[in-house]
Amino acid sequence: MSDFVKSLAQSAAQIDKVASGSLYPHQSDGVAFLLSKRRVILADDMGLGKTRQAIVAMEVGAPSGKILVVCPASLKLNWKREIQLVDPEASVEVLGVDRETPDDARWIVLNYDILGKHAERLHGVNWSGVILDEAHFIRNASQRTNHCLKLLGVQAEARAPVLGPDFVFLLTGTPMTNRPKDLFNLLRCVGHPSARSFLSYAKRYCDAYRNDYGWVTTGASNLDELNLLLKEVSIRRKKEDVLDLPPKIRSWVPVDISGSAAAFNAVESFVTWYSGTDPSKPNDTEFLARLTKVRTALHKAKQKAVEERIRDVVASGEKVVVFTCFSEGIERHKAKLGDTAITITGADTAEKRIAAVDRFQQDETVKVALCNIIAGGVGITLTAGTHVIFQDLDWVPANHAQAEDRCYRLGQTRQVTVEYFTADGTLDGYIATLLDQKMKLIAAVEAEELPDTSILREIQDGLRRLAPALMEEARAARATGDVAQRIEKLAAAQPRATADTSPLGETGQWEFTSSRDPSARYLVTFGRAGHLECTCQGFAYRGNCKHVREVRGKIFDE
C-alpha cells in the first residue's frame, strides 16, 4: 500500500472510539481503512474477521443511523451474534427469523433471497450504512443484484452520481470468483468510475469480442492494470501476512476406481457421446445431464475411500470436515457415523446450522462435520477440525478456498491438512488441473505485488493443455464463442509498461496537457471513495483514461 493511501487510513475520524484490545492489529487497520474510504470492498482472506471489522466501523462511522446487513440465509443469526458481541445493547431485527421484533431496531439483517419480499420497506429507509456480506453473490445480473444496487444508491444512468448511504462495505474473501467480469458489479456498488459501462469494462479487462451471438466477455486482459484498479477501493490481507497461524498442507489424493464398473461405464458413455457431437450446435440440456451422471458416478466410486480416511483421522484423535457436492454422500456417511457426525446442508434452517456448528466446536463426542460445499463453505467457523476432505471438485476455485478456510482461520492453533480425493485419469483430473490454472489467474488480479510479466503466458500454456475441460466448462456455463480464440487472445495480453515519468502532485492532484490541444489541461484527483477521476472526455464516457492509468500505476505500484 502506498504512503498516500496509508495516510488516508490513518486519518479516519473517530477511530479512537474503538475499545483498546477489542481488535487484532490488522483489524484496527481495516476499520481505519473502511472509515476513510466509506464505500469499499473488504476482501481479506477468509477467517481474518471481516464481520467484526465491518460492525466496528459502522458503530464508529454511523453511531446513530440505521444499518442494513444483507447476507446468505445461513449467516443471519451469526451476524446477530457478532453485532451483540461488539455492542451487547444493540437492537437487531433478523427478517425471516425473529418472531418478536424489537421496536425501531438499529440493525436490520436479512438474506439475499428475500430482498424482493421486503423491498418496499427497505427502499423506504434512509440507511446510514449498508453491508453486503459474501458480496460475490451479486456478481451476476439478477433481481437481487438490482435491489442491492438500488439500496446502495447506484443509478441506472452510467454517469449519474452514486447517492445513498454514507457507508457501504462489501465483504468477500473471493471478490473474483472465476473471471474478471465477476468484479464489475462490486466495483459498481462502490461507485468506481470504471464500472459505468460494462462494455467498456469488458473490452478493457475481459478481452471482449463479438461473435454471431453477441459479445463474449468470459476472457481476461490487462490484468496488471485491473490489479492496481482494485487497490483503489479495496483492502486485502492474507493470513500468512498478518497472523501467526500454523501451516496449511494441501494435497491431491488419487483414488483407484477400477472396481467401479458404474463409474467407468458413465465415463465411457459420456466420452462416446461427446466425441460425436457438433461443437457448433451444443445441446446444453443433454450435456449437463450426461456430465452430472459422470460426476455422480465418480462421487459414489470415491465414497469407500473417503469413509476409510474419515476413520483414520478420527482414530488419531482429530476432528475432520468433509465437503461434497452431493446430498447422497452426506446421507450415507451420516448413516454410518451416527451421532459422532453433524451435517450442514442447504436444507437446514439458520438455527439448525448454528446448533450443528456449536456441537462440532464444543462437543468432544462429535468428530465429523459433513457439509455441502456451498452451504457449509461460507460464514461458519469449524476450527475444532484439523483435517479437511473434499470428496468432489467444484468448477469454481473460490468455493474450495472458502470451504478450506472454515478450519483455517482465527482461532486455529494446529496444522490444517486439506485433501482432495480425485478419480485419477477421469474428469476429476481435468477439473483439478483447471482449478489450479484458475487460481493462478485470480492470484494475478488480487496480488499485493504485481505479477511477473510471464504470468499470463504461464496461464495460457496451462489452459491450452486443458482444451477438453475448457470446452466442457464453457458449455456448462452456456458460454458462446471459440474457446481456442479466447485462449490465444489471453496469451497475447502482456502486461503494459508504466510510464517512467508523470506529473505527480504532492497534494493528491495531477495535471496533464492535452495531446491534441496544448492549451487544454486535465486534472486527475481522488473521488468520493478514494478512486481516481479525470476531467478529460475519455474518462467522462468510459470511467477510465490513459491519465488515470498512469497515475494509478505510480501510486499503487510501489
Side-chain angles (χ1 to χ4, degrees), residues 351-363:
E351 294 93 335
K352 185 177 179 180
R353 196 168 314 198
I354 289 282
V357 169
D358 287 345
R359 282 192 64 209
F360 182 77
Q361 290 288 88
Q362 300 166 14
D363 189 340

Side-chain angles (χ1 to χ4, degrees), residues 73-250:
S74 60
L75 305 185
K76 291 192 293 188
L77 290 182
N78 186 62
W79 267 96
K80 181 176 183 178
R81 176 188 290 183
E82 286 290 325
I83 292 167
Q84 293 180 334
L85 283 174
V86 173
D87 178 8
E89 303 300 321
S91 177
V92 184
E93 179 182 359
V94 182
L95 299 185
V97 174
D98 289 342
R99 295 179 180 177
E100 296 183 6
T101 59
D103 295 332
D104 198 28
R106 165 170 156 76
W107 291 83
I108 306 295
V109 181
L110 81 162
N111 52 300
Y112 289 99
D113 300 328
I114 60 174
L115 277 169
K117 179 180 179 181
H118 297 277
E120 185 175 353
R121 172 187 173 182
L122 297 175
H123 294 311
V125 177
N126 183 24
W127 302 103
S128 293
V130 174
I131 299 171
L132 301 187
D133 192 16
E134 304 296 346
H136 51 273
F137 274 43
I138 64 165
R139 64 184 183 275
N140 298 322
S142 63
Q143 279 297 105
R144 68 183 179 190
T145 298
N146 291 337
H147 283 303
C148 288
L149 291 171
K150 185 176 179 180
L151 287 167
L152 301 182
V154 179
Q155 302 184 66
E157 169 58 37
R159 293 191 293 278
V162 176
L163 306 174
D166 289 333
F167 293 92
V168 172
F169 304 150
L170 274 58
L171 315 186
T172 172
T174 52
M176 192 175 110
T177 56
N178 217 351
R179 302 179 177 89
K181 67 181 296 184
D182 298 338
L183 292 171
F184 179 78
N185 277 335
L186 274 66
L187 292 170
R188 195 177 176 198
C189 284
V190 296
H192 198 286
S194 66
R196 290 176 179 173
S197 162
F198 178 69
L199 184 57
S200 294
Y201 176 91
K203 287 180 178 179
R204 188 72 191 168
Y205 304 114
C206 304
D207 194 22
Y209 65 92
R210 295 196 71 165
N211 64 11
D212 293 340
Y213 302 97
W215 285 97
V216 178
T217 60
T218 54
S221 51
N222 295 306
L223 297 186
D224 58 335
E225 185 180 306
L226 183 59
N227 174 285
L228 297 179
L229 181 155
L230 195 59
K231 291 178 182 177
E232 293 181 26
V233 288
S234 71
I235 182 171
R236 179 171 178 80
R237 280 79 56 86
K238 294 186 176 181
K239 292 189 184 74
E240 57 266 30
D241 297 331
V242 298
L243 294 180
D244 185 20
L245 280 176
K248 177 172 67 173
I249 309 298
R250 182 189 291 117

